[in-house]
Amino acid sequence: MEFQAVILAAGQGSRMTDLTAKTCKALLPIGNMPMIWYPVQMLEKAGFECAIVIVLESTKSDIERVLLDCKVKIKLDFVSIQDEDWGTADSLRHIRDKVTTDLLVVSCDLITDIPLHLLADVHRTYDATITVLMAAIPDSAADVPMPGSKSKKKIERDFVGLDQHGSRLLFLASEADFEESITIKKSLLKKHPYINIRTKLMDAHLYLMKKWVVDFLADQRSITTLKGELLPHLVQKQFSQPKPPDKDLPNPDESIVSTKTTSGESKFASTLLGGFGLRSNRDIYSYAADDYLTQLAREYSTWNDHRGDMADCYHGNPIRCYTYLKSGGCCVRANTLASYCEANRHIPKQLSSLAPGREIPLVHPTVTIQQKSQVGSDSMIGEGTTVGEKVSIKKSIIGKHCIIGEKAKISNSVIMDHVTIKEGSVVQGCVICDNAHLNDKCELKDCLVGTSQNIFAMSKYTNEVIVDREQMMTI
């Protein structure tokens, strides 16, 4: 097995707390399937037979049960962590003992139809330290209305520097890290005088990485996140120089076991302690060193990764970061309320490419639809739902066991499970969470209604978040 698959599903949804107050992020419905089902399905489609799923201790049993109901074929090894604010790098560090090969790491909120071999081809070609999936952010992303908010959402931008071929990742930083100007090192410009800085690329949180990166993380506990800390660190270290050898190293003819430190501890023992993450001053380049057979293969190979000079393969860079830019198709991260709504709007048209060979009906066979009702081809209705007469449903996802009353109009909305919408109600651009109840002739536009909320008859709301008081937050 070339890659071990790891799904990160321990996030608490800090950017969408109104949705995750009663339901864990990984189980939020998208197209009437749990969010985590999509990366699992992607791995199945690529031929993976097993994967590690990192979850919170409090949500482990629920996620196991739901995925079992989804009848996934891949064998899943659930690893739980404590319900604490761990970063993505912390989660990966936690499974170090299970890591035996290079990794494929994906977030549970990624929905994409990319054939994974395209990403793997880039990774193999350049023997990359890490290869990142990126996709263009649509120009219309900022114009998408967000339930509960009267203002347009602000897009968090990254400065992504690519080489002239568009594959080598040369520079990466968040827009928030700069005020007026960007600083780029001269050493980088000497090696790559042409750098294409792009600001409309999304890091999809799908990475292929070397096993040694996890070993490095185990020793560097100050790094807590993959995208925000580890990836920029690796990108920066590509063009730095290794530290010079320690002048205090023992004579090569002497036994290192017998060499004592000031504390009386052998340096060999100190290295072992560092290897277990207790303390390590190892240079990052020592983790990236190739083994003897790899060095020998490169020495005798005529293949090279570049043209235009006679330099050694990879120009002698032990750390190499690359990216695959996805164009077209489906690639969205449902990690905010706005992107969650957008993912649901597009999912009916994307199901055939996301799950080829699997029949997922847009309208479940058990749905009851009364006369003169209209359900658009861009909508989905879940199991056991009842739709009354003269109902209009457009560009919306209706969950399981819902009751939609006569003459109700629903558009551009996400209606979760066991929701009741009574006669004459109008719902536009909203998210209605589980077990909510809308009485007769309610009018809601661009609102978020929390779990088990009861909306009185004739109520009218626009751009409101209607949740329990203890759940309220500022958007």
Side-chain angles (χ1 to χ4, degrees):
M1 182 172 58
E2 184 179 6
F3 298 105
Q4 283 180 272
V6 178
I7 301 175
L8 302 176
Q12 300 185 26
S14 58
R15 299 180 181 181
M16 48 203 306
T17 53
D18 290 319
L19 290 181
T20 57
K22 299 291 179 68
T23 303
C24 77
K25 175 184 173 182
L27 295 183
L28 286 174
I30 297 179
N32 287 331
M33 300 296 285
M35 182 186 291
I36 192 174
W37 177 82
Y38 291 93
V40 171
Q41 179 64 30
M42 176 189 68
L43 295 175
E44 278 191 9
K45 186 172 67 171
F48 281 86
E49 297 179 352
C50 58
I52 298 171
V53 184
I54 303 177
V55 298
L56 293 175
E57 181 66 39
S58 61
T59 63
K60 180 181 177 182
S61 58
D62 289 337
I63 294 176
E64 284 182 312
R65 174 181 50 80
V66 169
L67 287 176
L68 184 63
D69 292 341
C70 292
K71 298 179 181 179
V72 298
K73 299 177 182 178
I74 190 171
K75 181 181 178 182
L76 300 175
D77 177 13
F78 291 90
V79 178
S80 60
I81 63 176
Q82 297 299 316
D83 289 26
E84 299 175 359
D85 190 17
W86 281 25
T88 47
D90 295 323
S91 297
L92 208 55
R93 187 183 293 116
H94 183 68
I95 63 165
R96 181 193 184 186
D97 293 342
K98 290 179 175 287
V99 177
T100 58
T101 67
D102 292 351
L103 291 181
L104 183 154
V105 181
V106 59
S107 174
C108 73
D109 57 27
L110 175 64
I111 303 173
T112 182
D113 58 0
I114 182 176
L116 288 178
H117 71 84
L118 297 177
L119 193 70
D121 287 346
V122 174
H123 191 75
R124 296 177 185 124
T125 298
Y126 300 103
D127 194 24
T129 301
I130 189 167
T131 304
V132 186
L133 174 64
M134 291 190 173
I137 300 173
D139 293 333
S140 59
D143 299 326
V144 176
M146 183 169 63
S149 175
K150 297 180 182 180
S151 59
K152 294 181 180 180
K153 66 173 183 176
K154 183 179 179 181
I155 302 295
E156 297 180 1
R157 299 194 304 172
D158 292 320
F159 293 113
V160 181
L162 304 175
D163 68 359
Q164 57 185 337
H165 305 295
S167 57
R168 184 76 183 265
L169 194 53
L170 305 176
F171 181 84
L172 180 64
S174 172
E175 180 183 26
D177 296 336
F178 302 94
E179 294 183 358
E180 296 181 355
S181 59
I182 301 175
T183 303
I184 298 178
K185 291 184 177 181
K186 289 183 179 179
S187 58
L188 173 57
L189 290 173
K190 285 181 179 179
K191 292 184 177 181
H192 295 273
Y194 177 93
I195 301 178
N196 181 14
I197 302 291
R198 301 185 60 173
T199 59
K200 292 186 177 181
L201 289 178
M202 171 193 72
D203 182 340
H205 278 222
L206 173 56
Y207 311 108
L208 296 179
M209 64 177 67
K210 293 283 191 182
K211 177 184 178 298
W212 70 256
V213 175
V214 180
D215 297 330
F216 170 72
L217 281 177
D219 292 342
Q220 302 296 325
R221 295 185 178 274
S222 60
I223 296 177
T224 61
T225 64
L226 297 180
K227 192 257 182 181
E229 297 175 27
L230 174 65
L231 186 55
H233 183 70
L234 293 175
V235 170
Q236 183 182 21
K237 286 295 183 178
Q238 290 180 102
F239 309 106
S240 299
Q241 296 297 322
K243 294 180 180 179
D246 192 341
K247 295 181 181 180
D248 296 330
L249 284 175
N251 188 307
D253 295 329
E254 294 180 2
S255 170
I256 194 169
V257 176
S258 63
T259 304
K260 300 292 183 179
T261 63
T262 54
S263 64
E265 173 186 317
S266 72
K267 287 191 175 181
F268 178 70
S270 179
T271 302
L272 282 179
L273 287 173
F276 283 105
L278 299 179
R279 191 181 75 182
S280 175
N281 295 321
R282 288 178 62 186
D283 188 273
I284 188 173
Y285 301 99
S286 66
Y287 296 89
D290 292 322
D291 58 55
Y292 172 72
L293 289 178
T294 301
Q295 294 177 14
L296 197 63
R298 287 199 187 134
E299 182 179 346
Y300 286 98
S301 174
T302 59
W303 181 84
N304 208 327
D305 69 307
H306 60 271
R307 298 178 181 179
D309 59 48
M310 298 298 291
D312 292 339
C313 189
Y314 310 122
H315 286 97
N317 299 141
I319 299 176
R320 298 174 292 277
C321 302
Y322 281 82
T323 183
Y324 178 83
L325 299 182
K326 178 168 173 47
S327 58
C330 176
C331 189
V332 60
R333 283 196 67 209
N335 63 330
T336 65
L337 180 56
S339 60
Y340 172 77
C341 295
E342 194 68 6
N344 272 285
R345 290 189 186 104
H346 290 291
I347 210 68
K349 296 180 180 179
Q350 302 289 348
L351 277 175
S352 59
S353 62
L354 292 170
R358 180 162 180 167
E359 293 186 9
I360 302 177
L362 296 182
V363 178
H364 197 275
T366 61
V367 171
T368 300
I369 301 178
Q370 301 297 333
Q371 296 179 351
K372 298 182 181 180
S373 290
Q374 297 179 340
V375 179
S377 60
D378 47 10
S379 297
M380 296 183 70
I381 304 181
E383 174 186 355
T385 289
T386 300
V387 179
E389 291 186 0
K390 299 181 181 180
V391 170
S392 173
I393 300 174
K394 298 178 180 179
K395 297 182 180 180
S396 297
I397 307 295
I398 311 297
K400 301 175 182 178
H401 306 292
C402 295
I403 299 175
I404 311 299
E406 295 180 0
K407 299 179 182 179
K409 295 182 179 180
I410 302 172
S411 61
N412 293 309
S413 297
V414 179
I415 313 298
M416 297 188 188
D417 299 342
H418 302 282
V419 171
T420 298
I421 299 177
K422 288 200 169 182
E423 180 181 351
S425 292
V426 178
V427 179
Q428 179 181 348
C430 297
V431 176
I432 313 295
C433 294
D434 295 333
N435 299 300
H437 191 103
L438 277 64
N439 286 284
D440 295 339
K441 298 181 180 180
C442 292
E443 294 183 18
L444 275 67
K445 181 179 180 181
D446 297 330
C447 293
L448 188 152
V449 179
T451 300
S452 302
Q453 293 298 303
N454 182 41
I455 308 299
F456 297 123
M458 310 291 289
S459 296
K460 294 184 179 181
Y461 293 101
T462 301
N463 299 114
E464 297 288 344
V465 176
I466 306 169
V467 295
D468 293 337
R469 183 168 298 180
E470 60 267 21
Q471 295 174 215
M472 293 185 67
M473 64 168 284
T474 301
I475 296 183

